[in-house]
Amino acid sequence: MPASPARVAAFKVLLRVEREAAYADELLHSVLLDQLSPADRGLATEIVMGVLRWRSALDVMFAGLIPGQLRKLDLEVLTALRMGAYQMAFLSRVPAHAVVNETVELVKQAKKRSAAGLVNAVMRKLQPNRAAVPSPPAADANQLAASYSHPEWLVDRWVAYFGFDRALQICQYDQQVPATAIRLSSADDEAELRKEGFQLAPGALMKNARRVVAGDMTASALLRSGRIAIQDEGSQLVAALVGEGRRILDCCAAPGGKTAALATRLPDAEIIAADLHPHRARLLRQMAPQANVQVIAADALHLPLTAHFDRVLADVPCSGTGTLARNPEIKWRLTPDDLQDLQSRQIAILSAAMDRVATGGRLVYSTCSLEPEENEQVVAACLRSHAGFELIPAKDELLRLRAAGELVWPDIETLVHGNFLRTIPGVHPCDGFFAAVLQKQ
């Protein structure tokens, strides 16, 4: 019998993630899954994200059973084995014989019949090791990386920078399915969502956030209308840091969550939202449909604007190491050299953004990275080259947000690192964000 639709879809997504450097979350909401039932869609999502979260640990499960090196296997064969190993170890409700048969069928359907015998033999040998999940980590970075399926070089950095306990919390958070958070536009939104059958809990950081306890938020009519948005609470907090202004520039705005948050919060402000790529600018328009938002497709380094702005948001392209729970494929692509390349781009974008700030105005620089090269070091470099800017302590702004009732997190000190905002996955109930507030004198 052919492989099930859910596994075929998961197989296609994983192949595209590897071959095209695509993002799994985007593919899982694409036409590849349109024909699946809700149950099959859920299974495909579970397999894809599970394989990406636990990839190195899965490889260890069957590496000793393969003659030669894993990298010599065809990608289709390696992907099928990873899917099978994940189901064997983590999906106890799926019968072992079904996992074996499905894995072999995937290889056959991928026109790799010559490998079917090998895959069958490997999968049958894995059966006695069902639920062979990683063991708890010992107190060293290499074992932590192995136990929680992260690259050693990345965990080494986190242990050195955050300490072992924080690095452990980050790794543990990355391996779990993160909560779905939404941003409400009005008090009526929550009542309407409950009528639609959703179960919601209060946000942990932000007053206007809710956590989805039950229900598929992508099916919500309110979401499709743009009245609410799926947005991590850390992202909502960064948008709130921008404060109030009459003219606002969001210079790297796609996909548009922060732009939409600004537009909802400041309905009388004129907001210009830019993104380099036209297709992302179109997505931005969908995510931020408010009338006070003007979307342009333009390079942040060469914006076709002469005006200066009261508030500027530079939420720059980054490594995304603060979002590995949602985007686990990043950890297998990123290299140490990438951080220096990203830093050069980030310094250029922040410098250009600083040139757009009006006298007395403010700029928020932000990333979803945990790495100092993309955060503190970028801010320091730009402050050295731009006289007339000062760094505003993030704690002052967080206290302002709490006094206004927007921020509900009780322990502001944990959100602050020096003069900066920093959320840490596992320490805070959100992705990892960094933000700096700069004011032009």
Side-chain angles (χ1 to χ4, degrees):
M1 292 181 62
S4 68
R7 291 174 177 84
V8 170
F11 186 65
K12 290 179 179 178
V13 168
L14 287 167
L15 288 176
R16 288 187 59 178
V17 167
E18 292 292 335
R19 287 176 171 152
E20 303 171 18
Y23 285 94
D25 186 61
E26 294 179 3
L27 294 176
L28 289 169
H29 292 90
S30 73
V31 295
L32 289 174
L33 274 68
D34 276 356
Q35 302 305 313
L36 298 185
S37 68
D40 280 348
R41 182 184 288 266
L43 177 58
T45 299
E46 167 74 24
I47 292 173
V48 167
M49 300 305 282
V51 166
L52 293 173
R53 287 192 181 105
W54 294 101
R55 196 181 84 174
S56 63
L58 300 175
D59 288 355
V60 169
M61 287 177 62
F62 57 78
L65 305 174
I66 304 286
Q69 297 178 332
L70 292 186
R71 61 182 178 83
K72 294 183 178 180
L73 291 176
D74 290 336
L75 180 59
E76 294 88 346
V77 177
L78 182 57
T79 299
L81 285 170
R82 286 169 173 166
M83 288 176 58
Y86 177 75
Q87 292 170 84
M88 283 289 191
F90 290 89
L91 302 188
S92 59
R93 288 182 294 180
V94 181
H97 67 85
V99 175
V100 174
N101 293 339
E102 291 273 359
T103 305
V104 172
E105 284 303 317
L106 283 175
V107 173
K108 290 179 178 179
Q109 288 176 226
K111 300 181 180 179
K112 300 294 178 181
R113 285 184 172 272
S114 61
L118 170 67
V119 170
N120 182 65
V122 170
M123 291 305 302
R124 289 185 181 280
K125 289 176 181 176
L126 286 181
Q127 288 189 65
N129 297 318
R130 277 189 78 96
V133 296
S135 58
D140 95 28
N142 289 345
Q143 291 187 12
L144 177 56
S147 293
Y148 287 95
S149 200
H150 281 63
E152 288 183 11
W153 72 269
L154 195 55
V155 176
D156 282 339
R157 291 173 55 86
W158 292 345
V159 170
Y161 188 61
F162 295 106
F164 184 86
D165 290 343
R166 287 279 175 94
L168 172 59
Q169 288 175 291
I170 294 168
C171 289
Q172 289 175 329
Y173 186 92
D174 289 348
Q175 300 307 91
Q176 301 170 16
V177 179
T180 298
I182 61 172
R183 173 178 45 77
L184 304 178
S185 297
S186 72
D188 296 333
D189 294 342
E190 184 168 12
E192 291 195 34
L193 286 170
R194 293 188 185 280
K195 286 181 183 178
E196 289 185 23
F198 293 98
Q199 295 180 31
L200 306 174
L205 285 178
M206 305 300 291
K207 176 185 176 182
N208 289 334
R210 296 293 183 272
R211 301 202 154 214
V212 181
V213 177
D216 178 7
M217 191 55 63
T218 62
S220 168
L222 280 184
L223 181 73
R224 292 194 298 271
S225 72
R227 280 179 52 188
I228 66 167
I230 297 174
Q231 186 179 17
D232 182 81
E233 287 197 67
S235 177
Q236 295 183 42
L237 176 55
V238 170
L241 277 182
V242 173
E244 298 185 2
R246 186 178 59 84
R247 287 177 54 78
I248 299 173
L249 171 65
D250 187 351
C251 59
C252 300
K258 295 180 183 70
T259 307
L262 289 169
T264 298
R265 188 166 172 270
L266 304 170
D268 296 326
E270 175 188 347
I271 300 172
I272 295 180
D275 196 84
L276 174 61
H277 303 288
H279 72 281
R280 286 173 60 82
R282 289 192 292 271
L283 174 62
L284 170 57
R285 179 74 277 176
Q286 296 171 9
M287 289 289 292
Q290 293 93 332
N292 61 332
V293 176
Q294 177 187 348
V295 174
I296 61 174
D299 188 342
L301 301 180
H302 307 287
L303 292 175
L305 305 169
T306 57
H308 290 77
F309 296 83
D310 309 318
R311 297 289 184 270
V312 175
L313 173 61
D315 183 45
V316 300
C318 69
S319 65
T321 56
T323 69
L324 298 185
R326 301 179 196 279
N327 303 297
E329 60 270 40
I330 288 174
K331 64 187 174 184
W332 308 121
R333 295 176 185 165
L334 192 67
T335 70
D337 289 342
D338 291 334
L339 298 179
Q340 294 303 323
D341 292 340
L342 285 163
Q343 184 187 78
S344 297
R345 294 174 58 198
Q346 291 155 352
I347 289 173
I349 292 171
L350 178 53
S351 293
M354 292 168 84
D355 291 338
R356 295 294 175 184
V357 182
T359 300
R362 288 190 175 185
L363 180 152
V364 171
Y365 171 83
S366 65
T367 76
C368 53
S369 169
L370 301 177
E371 316 313 315
E373 290 92 336
E374 302 180 85
N375 297 331
E376 296 95 330
Q377 292 179 22
V378 170
V379 174
C382 289
L383 285 175
R384 286 194 298 268
S385 62
H386 286 71
F389 278 86
E390 68 171 334
L391 186 62
I392 303 298
K395 183 177 179 180
D396 294 350
E397 297 306 297
L398 295 173
L399 288 170
R400 174 181 60 80
L401 290 173
R402 190 167 70 178
E406 294 185 62
L407 177 65
V408 296
W409 183 256
D411 189 357
I412 283 180
E413 292 293 341
T414 69
L415 295 171
V416 174
H417 175 67
N419 285 318
F420 307 107
L421 165 73
R422 187 174 67 190
T423 61
I424 302 174
V427 177
H428 305 107
C430 61
D431 291 342
F433 281 90
F434 170 90
V437 181
L438 309 178
Q439 181 159 325
K440 185 173 183 179
Q441 300 306 301

